[in-house]
Amino acid sequence: MVGFVWVLGCFSCKDKLEDEFYPDGVLLSKEPVWKTAVSVNSFPAHGVNIPPTVYEGGAVMASATGFEPVKGSGMARPGLLMLDVETGSIRWKWDDYMYDRESLFLTDRYAFHDRMVFHIGPRTYCINLSSGETEWKKWKADSVNAMSPSLISGIDDRYFFSARVIHEDCVDYQPSKLYEGNILRPVREVEVVNPQLPREYFGVTPIPRGATFFRPTILDGDTVIAVAYQVPTADAQYNVI
């Protein structure tokens, strides 16, 4: 498997590019200004299919190219790249993990000014978008585990994410709650929404339940969060597209 990031000719006026057309003049394809490999062979770059975070002419992409796989396992251990949108060159690379067998599965992230925060399970990372250096990182001792997909959004320096507490037996999953953190410093996240769901649905399905989707906004000067609750039954199944 090979994956690329492409920038098409419509984004540039530098040179005349060789576009392809059907006989009737309809555009068939555009020649890219540049392309950079982000996934090669069997190592996927999870997160390359979501819009990149753009900052000062650079785009942050998940990449499995140029990073060492997890030692002794053959598992991919991709990281992040900041690609220059004009040239496709790499400005910086990041793989500053806390867990030595961790593999990036980037499904969502939140950026504020020059910082970007994202979760991998119970671990939270904050990266400086200018340098690619880690601003802070923490492994939550209370076993709050970000959902998969780990939805995250925010307003200014406040970020919100869905997570659940995993018990030691790893069987009885609690409904997902909504938490608030601060992107500027690694303070302990605060629980802001705890849905009260019927107990009979606990542990009967692996499908996420509770506060599974949310969107914060400012309304008349107040922070308002629209939260969607999900209560799956025992026979519920994933709808994978």
Side-chain angles (χ1 to χ4, degrees):
M1 176 176 62
V2 179
F4 292 94
V5 174
W6 302 74
V7 170
L8 298 178
C10 57
F11 292 167
S12 175
C13 299
K14 294 179 179 179
D15 300 298
K16 178 176 176 56
L17 302 175
E18 297 299 325
D19 300 332
E20 294 184 71
F21 295 86
Y22 286 108
D24 59 3
V26 175
L27 181 66
L28 171 62
S29 67
K30 295 191 70 65
E31 185 72 15
V33 175
W34 56 261
K35 60 181 179 179
T36 300
V38 295
S39 181
V40 297
N41 300 325
S42 60
F43 295 145
H46 296 294
V48 72
N49 59 327
I50 61 177
T53 296
V54 178
Y55 177 76
E56 293 189 344
V60 179
M61 305 293 304
S63 176
T65 299
F67 295 93
E68 292 293 328
V70 177
K71 293 182 179 180
S73 70
M75 294 172 54
R77 189 182 183 182
L80 295 174
L81 300 177
M82 168 71 89
L83 299 180
D84 188 285
V85 296
E86 290 291 329
T87 66
S89 61
I90 297 173
R91 291 187 180 180
W92 52 253
K93 297 170 63 175
W94 180 93
D95 61 349
D96 185 22
Y97 298 112
M98 287 180 279
Y99 180 37
D100 60 5
R101 293 180 63 83
E102 192 157 29
S103 180
L104 177 68
F105 195 90
L106 187 66
T107 55
D108 209 356
R109 65 276 203 200
Y110 174 66
F112 174 66
H113 292 331
D114 63 347
R115 297 192 179 194
M116 184 181 77
V117 64
F118 61 94
H119 303 285
I120 307 177
R123 294 165 294 278
T124 306
Y125 297 92
C126 180
I127 298 175
N128 186 296
L129 293 173
S130 295
S131 64
E133 298 294 325
T134 302
E135 287 284 350
W136 55 261
K137 55 186 177 181
K138 62 180 178 177
W139 195 327
K140 295 177 281 295
D142 55 5
S143 297
V144 173
N145 193 73
M147 283 179 49
S148 180
S150 52
L151 300 177
I152 183 171
S153 187
I155 297 176
D156 296 332
D157 60 344
R158 303 157 63 194
Y159 65 86
F160 303 89
F161 68 102
S162 295
R164 57 192 179 188
V165 176
I166 299 182
H167 288 239
E168 292 183 356
D169 57 12
C170 293
V171 175
D172 188 14
Y173 287 89
Q174 297 294 315
S176 295
K177 304 175 184 180
L178 189 64
Y179 292 85
E180 176 185 340
N182 192 295
I183 198 171
L184 300 181
R185 52 191 181 276
V187 297
R188 183 182 180 89
E189 286 103 347
V190 178
E191 178 186 306
V192 293
V193 173
N194 180 10
Q196 302 300 307
L197 303 182
R199 182 71 189 181
E200 59 266 27
Y201 294 123
F202 289 14
V204 298
T205 172
I207 295 178
R209 63 189 73 87
T212 57
F213 182 81
F214 62 94
R215 186 62 62 193
T217 188
I218 299 294
L219 183 64
D220 295 330
D222 296 324
T223 299
V224 179
I225 307 175
V227 183
Y229 290 173
Q230 181 167 287
V231 184
T233 58
D235 58 350
Q237 297 181 3
Y238 279 109
N239 181 21
V240 180
I241 298 177

